[in-house]
């Protein structure tokens, strides 16, 4: 059987790390602010998508992961561990 979910049932491996890195950004960066930062980098994503990523309800593409890592000042590996 194919596995396309994490062992805990989440749709991504990086959601919890995205949230942790977002909360470490200066100025208490909100999900909306993170979405705005991603849009500046050319990623069409909104606050609701950020919420769903952080809660593990939404899959994350490699393109999104690359941009998230850039904006959050993290490596891909950091977000996936």
């Amino acid at each position: 059987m194919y596995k396309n979910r994490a062992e805990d049932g989440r749709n991504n491996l990086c959601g919890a790390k995205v949230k942790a890195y977002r909360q470490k950004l200066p100025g208490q960066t909100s999900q909306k602010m993170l979405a705005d930062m991603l849009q500046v980098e050319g990623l069409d994503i909104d606050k609701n998508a950020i919420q769903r990523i952080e809660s593990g309800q939404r899959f994350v593409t490699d393109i999104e992961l690359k941009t998230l890592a850039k904006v959050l000042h993290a490596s891909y590996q950091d977000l996936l561990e």
Side-chain angles (χ1 to χ4, degrees), residues 1-41:
M1 176 167 230
Y2 296 105
K3 294 183 180 181
N4 64 347
R5 295 180 192 271
E7 290 181 9
D8 62 2
R10 291 174 172 253
N11 289 325
N12 65 56
L13 296 173
C14 66
K17 289 284 190 154
V18 168
K19 182 176 183 177
Y21 274 89
R22 174 181 60 81
Q23 291 174 335
K24 290 179 186 177
L25 290 174
Q28 298 178 337
T29 304
S30 67
Q31 292 173 338
K32 168 106 174 70
M33 292 168 69
L34 177 56
D36 292 344
M37 293 164 68
L38 293 167
Q39 288 179 2
V40 168
E41 292 296 324

